[in-house]
Amino acid sequence: MELILTEDQELLAKTAADFVSEHSPVSRVRKLRDAKDPVGFSKELWKQMAELGWLGIPFPEVVGGAGLGFAELAVVLEALGRTLAPEPFLSTVLLGGQVLLLGGTEVQQKEWLPPVVNGDCILTAAYQEPQTRYDLRRVATRADRKADGWRLSGEKIQVLDGHVADALVVVARTSGGEHDAKGLTLFLVRKGAPGLEITRQSRVDSRNAALVKLSGVAVGPSEVIGAVDEGGDLFENVVDRATVGLCAEMLGSMEEAAASTFKYLKTRVQFGVPIGSFQALKHRAARMYIELELSRSTVMAAARAVDEDHPELPKLASLVKARCSDAGILIANEAIQMHGGVGMTDEYDVGFYLKRARVAEITFGDASHHRDRWARLSGY
Amino acid sequence: MELILTEDQELLAKTAADFVSEHSPVSRVRKLRDAKDPVGFSKELWKQMAELGWLGIPFPEVVGGAGLGFAELAVVLEALGRTLAPEPFLSTVLLGGQVLLLGGTEVQQKEWLPPVVNGDCILTAAYQEPQTRYDLRRVATRADRKADGWRLSGEKIQVLDGHVADALVVVARTSGGEHDAKGLTLFLVRKGAPGLEITRQSRVDSRNAALVKLSGVAVGPSEVIGAVDEGGDLFENVVDRATVGLCAEMLGSMEEAAASTFKYLKTRVQFGVPIGSFQALKHRAARMYIELELSRSTVMAAARAVDEDHPELPKLASLVKARCSDAGILIANEAIQMHGGVGMTDEYDVGFYLKRARVAEITFGDASHHRDRWARLSGY
Amino acid sequence: MAELETFRRETRDWLLKNAPPDIVGLPANDLEGNWGGRRATYAVPGMKTWLLRMAERGWTAPSWPKEYGGGGLAPGEAKVLSQEMTRLRLPPPLIGFGLTMIGPTLLQYGNEEQKREHLGRICRGEIRWCQGYSEPGAGSDLASLQTKAVRDGDDFIVTGTKIWTSYADKADWIFALVRTDPAAKKQDGITFLLIDMLTPGISVRPILLISGKSPFCETHFESVRVPVRNVVHKINAGWTVAKSLLGHERSMIADAFGGAGAGQRTARLSALASLARERLGDARGQIADPVLRDRIALEDMDTRAFGFTVQRAKDGAKAGHRPGPESSIFKVYATELNMRRRELMVQTLGPSGIGWEGPGFTESDLETTREWLRSRGNSIEGGTSEVQLNIIAKRVLGLPD
Amino acid sequence: MAELETFRRETRDWLLKNAPPDIVGLPANDLEGNWGGRRATYAVPGMKTWLLRMAERGWTAPSWPKEYGGGGLAPGEAKVLSQEMTRLRLPPPLIGFGLTMIGPTLLQYGNEEQKREHLGRICRGEIRWCQGYSEPGAGSDLASLQTKAVRDGDDFIVTGTKIWTSYADKADWIFALVRTDPAAKKQDGITFLLIDMLTPGISVRPILLISGKSPFCETHFESVRVPVRNVVHKINAGWTVAKSLLGHERSMIADAFGGAGAGQRTARLSALASLARERLGDARGQIADPVLRDRIALEDMDTRAFGFTVQRAKDGAKAGHRPGPESSIFKVYATELNMRRRELMVQTLGPSGIGWEGPGFTESDLETTREWLRSRGNSIEGGTSEVQLNIIAKRVLGLPD
């Protein structure tokens, strides 16, 4: 892999940066939050992103996609991360969409992926449960076999964009006990299915999330994605890819949090001088920059690993997630500290970055979890 | 407990500080090292310390001691730590002497403790083995029962002052397997006993340590200290006390390393100003000071816990050792970094402090070991 | 000693007779304590009676001189009163910045007229005070404050903005630093002024924090007329008054973060360790996540070590030593301990530690998350950690400027 | 491409024919490589032949112009040569500061006479060079150097002391910074001078480090007479020459700490992880100490992330981008990674990690301990971490002075 942007990728980065600065300032996130917007993001903007071809980046041309890869996706997600755009990329493109791309039948792909690419369909994955913590294979939701298919029962939490999703990929247990790695199957459940109850949640970053209760929801054989009992590996692969995408977004966020802090250091005057002239703050700013640069290299490498179907992808996904989680929190904490009192006020944007950094850290596992996974995958 | 020095203790501190600055500069340690001195410390100075009453501090008057406690001992050890005095306090007073004080019969105490107090006898404890790491109960050295007593066989490493000791307290297994907590017994082995082979070792701090090989060393019933099979608890208690003493010494060392660094910051000029005017170094110096102050409070508390036979002593010993280990390494590392290039030369003293800090950290268990022990003793 | 025991017995009898039953066991924290003031409200009816009875005896400010409304108690007596109140689980009848901040300041720097005017009303809980120091442009560099007070006959005309004025929306009076001589060098042109919040031209806006609601406000002064007799100490000499108050504030913060009693033996698991055992599970008697367990042990151990350090300072003070340099570390270390602890709490909660409100999160988890967010300000408010480290480097270590 | 393949074939044939068999597989590190020089010694006899044959072809300095003794190879050809030597496990025939430091400097700043005098001798391994920059009073603040060079006709008289002159005790010539104008402002009065170490008045004393023996020396100049024609570039313009060399040195340090190839897939366990498995034992396939295991994973992961960052800079350079700001972090991060790794190694060794020499410790454990001690200097030598962070803050982030 080469860790540089091609000319096309440079161009995409510029388009994305321009789009974000014109249409998606952080004030938009604030407005959606304060208005308790029922959708939680801008459908209009989502449609525009579709028109720009962004939603189709990782999908093949046969479903209307661009046939590009995560190297390109990362460029767009980084730009969106800069201003914390709350559109359902992670849920729709990186979770639901990737499950269908990697595990769906042609029929399933033809039904769902074109509307995803067009921005007409929101997908998500319901995998987390109250006891899951970061263990993707710890699933209590059951799928009981019936003559005409399955009945799903269980409880999922923090389902991204759950309350606006047209369909959910539900991870359920078709065999084995709660902790077994095998015996998981993925099911597609449509909005409004009888027995499906969705309650919106409120998290610190004010992005969409929902509780999902399944009370004997009926699904037919055509709604199974991938092989029965073999959904665990498929879903873990999807989460590895989604993790790389999430980290690209995190990179953008920490970049912006750092940049706004460096700017503040240059302009805020105390004791008659800009506070950025104080060496202790300088050195800490340099440390932030180092963490940022290492994070950037790692995001680039991991995105290319997805595109190359690199056998080390699981390790690199853990590498990038551990790194971006730690760097994200460090940079957000330093951003607030260096902003001083105003950094603690809701009125300033910097707190939004801390809140998002924490939620992003928790999503798909925190740094400690991924260091453990890296060590395990490395054979120690 | 009260965390202040009494007037008597203040006086003792002053005497010790004066004595150390007059008789025991760091250059003395350097000379002993460079000359490969066969004794490894100054017998003369040791005798003087005895005359000052220091060796008798924790022993009762009946054996010639002062009947004082660890609060007083800590004051002296701190002063000695300041200039890295290599006299056999740890081996003789804190290990061998304490074993006899806590576990010895009256006969044993009468034989050994008066010469200890007088400075005429060097004692030590041989407990570490190649596989011990920090687990005091992991002992492979065997004591086989015979008609007339026992035969000791095994290998001990890094026995403090082993090559100059008049007698060694040997921890040996009288029952159970290598990892069993029970089944350990303490034996007193005299210098020159047949089958006892002692080889001097060289560690980075150039303090005395030795390999001890026991090949069927015969010991009689009168040389058992404490109850047979019950030596594990006794020895752990001794090590807890010795740990507190060691930490007092470590406190003195880190205090001096920090003080010499603060002095260097005030005098070393670069870019036309003393480097201590650079804020980044200032903040790091303040951090060193904070670690030092917390270490001091903890040493004082732990020493008083020994004197009060406080039920929390094991926890406090772990607290003080974890803290002084971490603070010692931090301060020594920063001392070298702030001294710059000259700090790396053997010609400057600051490297001696780093080397001693590392050896002290390892002795009786490193910080991570003691955090684990603290958590275990706290019930989590 | 015998006298003190008599005092103890009499005090206990009096308390038993006069404390209304509904106040027993009430907590004494900021949220639930009685702040008094013109607009005081009492969740528990007995609290008003309790205040009146205690104030009548001077026991809302037990150590203050009797002539100004205090109890005139000697230190030993005051300690006995406090012990007996604790024993009977009686909350203080009154809390607030009047008792802790402006009162002691007036006792030291106020003139006779000011003491007579204000101290009694503080003791009786009639007036609630707030503090007007920081400004948008003057945070760590407090002396660069710009709120100006221009002399107009017997009055000053005050114009400017104060921030971080805690509870300004509930306070009756404010003690503020204002610039009375713009030509003087920074600290030299500052005056310490007492201002009635009912004076025309004052407006108050509560500040929302990243953790949600807060007691902080922004307070605007638009040509507010304040009598010159409300100057404490001398005109242009307010910095002296402010400094003595600031030191006081910092040690209060260290106390508030639990530094006070942490040297005591902790009989039970720390809240953090017990949360971790509950949430992460238990493997052979140990918190199942060994890496987090190690961090928790470090946090608990540092807390204990810090507690010993606070105790050392107190024991030294009791023995009559002047405050040692070790006390300079209290503010920075106490806040860092708390911040690390909050961070470990949310890390322990994991996916349960990122809720803002509503379904899917327990009340206690939501509170933990908000407290974590709130804690990020600990190293900023009351003098940033950076300023504290500067002070240690300069005053304690003597490093050059 | 076809031409390059022809070159590859010819090169390989030549190498196969000319490389003495006893040099195959020799390591190319500082200790075992061939430094050349007047007093060169050859542990392996073939190394001398290897040097002569390669030097004759100009392949000790493949990219330098032929007229000065180099190989005159284009970048593509030089890469092929290097690849073929690696493939055949042939060590470089010559290493040292002549090739890496003063040679390139002379190519850029030297006059024709200097190039003719020195470059050929460097290529043939006849002269070994050392560097005289730092002084006891001029460490991070290099420009405050005080070694003075006073003009005396066609000579300078040099007096002063240089430290950290690596291998000065083995070198034949030194390139040094001297102060030629004491009145000028710091950088402005400095001259870059070439000095034969055989000149009377020079004395060299090796420096012992806390880790033991070292290549470092202290070099004294007592009225040493140096011809003015040995000035590189112009008198009082030596700072320009020095700066270009310094940047070069820093990237060499980053490379030396393994930044170069760390982006590559690491097929096997890191040395650290495998040491830990061996010494701490294995619990269900994992290093038995979970806390240390977490720190080791972090170290390995950071090493990988740093490797990717080095690769990114290289890929960018290959694509013709100017060196990006990311390269400013190499020196500081590479050394920190190494220091952390050494620290983790001794922590893993525990009681086995504190030996100095002799019985009771294995050779490999003793080496680990010495390397840990030696590593403490990594963040000092070649520009302290503090100076690097200042540079990042100023040049990359644009923070004010």
Side-chain angles (χ1 to χ4, degrees), chain D residues 124-191:
Chain D
R124 293 189 300 274
E126 292 167 9
I127 294 296
R128 180 168 178 174
W129 285 85
C130 67
Q131 169 179 280
Y133 275 24
S134 292
E135 299 183 3
S140 287
D141 183 13
L142 179 58
S144 70
L145 57 91
Q146 294 300 329
T147 294
K148 64 177 176 195
V150 181
R151 185 73 177 254
D152 180 33
D154 285 346
D155 293 336
F156 280 112
I157 312 292
V158 177
T159 301
T161 303
K162 293 288 176 184
I163 52 170
W164 312 119
T165 46
S166 304
Y167 299 113
D169 53 342
K170 292 174 177 159
D172 307 306
W173 279 69
I174 186 170
F175 51 94
L177 293 177
V178 294
R179 183 161 300 287
T180 35
D181 183 355
K185 274 224 288 202
K186 290 185 78 165
Q187 290 89 337
D188 296 345
I190 291 173
T191 298

Side-chain angles (χ1 to χ4, degrees), chain B residues 239-281:
Chain B
V239 167
D240 275 339
R241 292 161 157 248
T243 298
V244 176
L246 172 62
C247 287
E249 184 208 316
M250 292 167 84
L251 174 66
S253 303
M254 67 177 103
E255 193 176 26
E256 180 57 31
S260 73
T261 304
F262 299 155
K263 195 174 153 197
Y264 191 78
L265 290 178
K266 289 175 203 174
T267 50
R268 169 77 172 174
V269 170
Q270 291 280 274
F271 306 105
V273 293
I275 59 173
S277 65
F278 292 119
Q279 197 196 33
L281 296 187

Side-chain angles (χ1 to χ4, degrees), chain C residues 106 109-116 229 231-233:
Chain C
L106 286 176
Y109 290 102
N111 57 36
E112 193 56 31
E113 186 193 343
Q114 287 166 341
K115 290 182 195 167
R116 300 231 166 261
R229 63 178 164 80
V231 169
V232 178
H233 200 41

Side-chain angles (χ1 to χ4, degrees), chain A residues 61-210:
Chain A
E61 287 166 28
V62 62
V63 295
L68 295 168
F70 273 62
E72 287 77 19
L73 205 52
V75 161
V76 170
L77 286 165
E78 183 190 336
L80 294 172
R82 264 187 226 129
T83 56
L84 307 172
E87 275 62 37
F89 238 104
L90 192 50
S91 55
T92 303
V93 177
L94 289 163
L95 286 174
Q98 292 292 309
V99 166
L100 285 161
L101 178 67
L102 298 182
T105 61
E106 215 187 303
V107 175
Q108 288 168 332
Q109 294 188 348
K110 282 232 170 106
E111 178 181 0
W112 293 103
L113 293 183
V116 161
V117 170
N118 291 335
D120 292 332
C121 169
I122 306 297
L123 296 179
T124 190
Y127 63 99
Q128 247 182 309
E129 301 184 358
Q131 299 307 319
T132 301
R133 201 169 170 91
Y134 308 127
D135 181 357
L136 296 175
R137 311 284 178 130
R138 184 161 179 189
V139 172
T141 296
R142 288 172 299 104
D144 297 319
R145 189 111 210 192
K146 300 283 162 182
D148 59 346
W150 285 265
R151 296 288 176 282
L152 305 187
S153 297
E155 221 181 306
K156 300 287 181 179
I157 62 166
Q158 301 193 32
V159 178
L160 304 180
D161 300 298
H163 80 294
V164 286
D166 297 292
L168 305 85
V169 174
V170 174
V171 184
R173 188 158 288 288
T174 35
S175 72
E178 189 182 332
H179 294 269
D180 284 347
K182 293 278 169 188
L184 298 176
T185 306
L186 310 185
F187 296 93
L188 199 78
V189 174
R190 285 157 207 262
K191 173 173 76 174
L196 177 68
E197 192 186 326
I198 297 182
T199 314
R200 196 173 177 184
Q201 289 189 280
S202 167
R203 304 194 299 179
V204 288
D205 67 345
S206 56
R207 290 260 184 116
N208 285 336

